[in-house]
Amino acid sequence: MLLINCPWCGPRDESEFGYGGEADIARPANPDALTDEEWADYLFMRKNPRGLHREQWVHEHGCRRWFVLERDTVTYEITDAT
Amino acid sequence: MTRKESGNVPDQMQRQHALASFLNGNSVPDSGTSGMRLEVRPHYGYLNLRGDPDDERFLQAVQQKLGHSLPGVPNTFTSADHTVFWLGPDEWLLSTALGREKEIAGQLAKNLAGHCYSLVDVTGGQLLIRLSGEHVRGVLAKGCTLDLHPRIFKVGQCAQTTLAKTSMLIALIDDTPTFDIVLRRSFAEYAARWLQHSTRI
């Protein structure tokens, strides 16, 4: 079980949070101009790295805010919460 | 399709709290046997208020009506005429005597005209249970992941967290200790049964 540091509420148990996948994925400004491959890349393709991973979490049983943190996918260590 | 008014409808529907039938015929924990007393306190109205905490005019407009400021420190509550719990950086829960929430909502809406805000009467969806006694922390620890040790969780603090398989808003009222927990109405009986079960050794 992870202990996650919510930027508002402080350290809370993982069971209070929801996971939102990889962070920093920006919706293309003009989707009509994209090829099918580019659109599929935006929709489906994720980095899935071994090591540091920036990801979105929501404190759903607490303050219900979304935030981004960096987690090591090998050791589960959370290195940075913003 | 239309429905005919029945001549026997009472003028006012009787309000019954979510645990009325559960408490009738069920033994509830008390300080004599378990070191924990459970008291249902249904006599509150609730308003959910959202607005920009950086907008001085918004804060002043609210303070003008409530007589005290909204708690700005995360996970704290303030008590005067009403109790205001911090729920999020732009969200608060106001509890007041049952029946007063409509008047307060009306006046707040008047004060906040022109501001960007949200004000929702959530009275029907909440139930407050007061837990007190020396073993409360031990009972809650069975189903709450929060550290409620007096060094960590102090009087005046509140938190939204989980209790067993439901969520709650918990606040420490005094060092008896006395905790107030605000539950979703539809989960109140589940939580009460869980509490009842958890007081057994």
Side-chain angles (χ1 to χ4, degrees):
Chain A
M1 192 71 84
L2 297 174
L3 193 64
I4 296 174
N5 202 29
C6 168
W8 295 101
C9 304
R12 295 289 186 93
D13 196 274
E14 181 189 349
S15 56
E16 292 186 14
F17 294 84
Y19 179 64
E22 186 180 324
D24 309 320
I25 293 173
R27 184 181 167 86
N30 188 3
D32 289 340
L34 298 187
T35 64
D36 283 355
E37 286 73 23
E38 286 169 331
W39 183 244
D41 184 60
Y42 157 71
L43 280 185
F44 305 117
M45 302 310 282
R46 298 294 179 259
K47 289 196 196 109
N48 193 25
R50 178 185 163 86
L52 295 181
H53 187 223
R54 272 172 66 78
E55 52 197 21
Q56 309 174 93
W57 287 81
V58 59
H59 192 190
E60 60 187 13
H61 291 289
C63 60
R64 290 185 289 282
R65 286 322 106 136
W66 284 92
F67 58 97
V68 171
L69 60 78
E70 192 175 65
R71 180 177 64 93
D72 191 310
T73 58
V74 179
T75 62
Y76 285 85
E77 188 191 354
I78 293 167
T79 47
D80 180 38
T82 50
Chain B
M1 200 169 77
T2 56
R3 187 183 294 169
K4 269 193 176 169
E5 288 288 328
S6 155
N8 297 325
V9 174
D11 288 342
Q12 264 194 319
M13 295 290 281
Q14 268 198 336
R15 191 189 281 266
Q16 224 182 21
H17 68 76
L19 291 179
S21 58
F22 170 73
L23 293 179
N24 185 15
N26 264 290
S27 69
V28 292
D30 67 68
S31 55
T33 56
S34 65
M36 185 179 93
R37 187 167 39 248
L38 183 155
E39 183 195 347
V40 180
R41 294 167 73 95
H43 312 298
Y44 295 107
Y46 299 90
L47 296 172
N48 181 294
L49 174 66
R50 297 193 68 173
D52 182 359
D54 296 325
D55 182 352
E56 279 299 322
R57 286 169 49 241
F58 166 76
L59 294 177
Q60 277 174 13
V62 175
Q63 187 173 354
Q64 198 184 351
K65 169 58 200 145
L66 298 185
H68 65 109
S69 55
L70 292 169
V73 179
N75 294 297
T76 60
F77 67 94
T78 53
S79 258
D81 281 354
H82 331 285
T83 304
V84 185
F85 301 94
W86 183 97
L87 295 184
D90 61 1
E91 187 175 6
W92 296 269
L93 182 73
L94 185 148
S95 82
T96 185
L98 185 65
R100 283 200 65 196
E101 71 278 2
K102 286 192 173 50
E103 169 223 324
I104 293 168
Q107 292 187 9
L108 269 179
K110 209 180 284 174
N111 277 13
L112 289 171
H115 290 81
C116 182
Y117 74 98
S118 152
L119 181 63
V120 183
D121 186 341
V122 291
T123 304
Q126 328 285 323
L127 183 70
L128 192 146
I129 293 178
R130 175 161 285 190
L131 304 172
S132 55
E134 53 173 331
H135 290 161
V136 174
R137 285 193 178 94
V139 172
L140 287 173
K142 286 175 136 182
C144 173
T145 58
L146 213 62
D147 188 352
L148 296 174
H149 191 280
R151 271 204 311 270
I152 306 290
F153 198 75
K154 298 184 172 130
V155 172
Q157 277 187 274
C158 66
Q160 294 169 95
T161 181
T162 51
L163 176 69
K165 292 187 190 299
T166 183
S167 36
M168 66 170 171
L169 168 65
I170 184 167
L172 182 57
I173 306 301
D174 65 41
D175 276 325
T176 307
T178 303
F179 287 94
D180 275 356
I181 61 175
V182 180
L183 298 157
R184 292 295 186 93
R185 186 189 200 281
S186 49
F187 282 92
E189 183 171 339
Y190 163 77
R193 282 183 191 280
W194 184 88
L195 285 166
Q196 182 191 39
H197 184 79
S198 299
T199 50
R200 292 190 197 130
I201 295 160

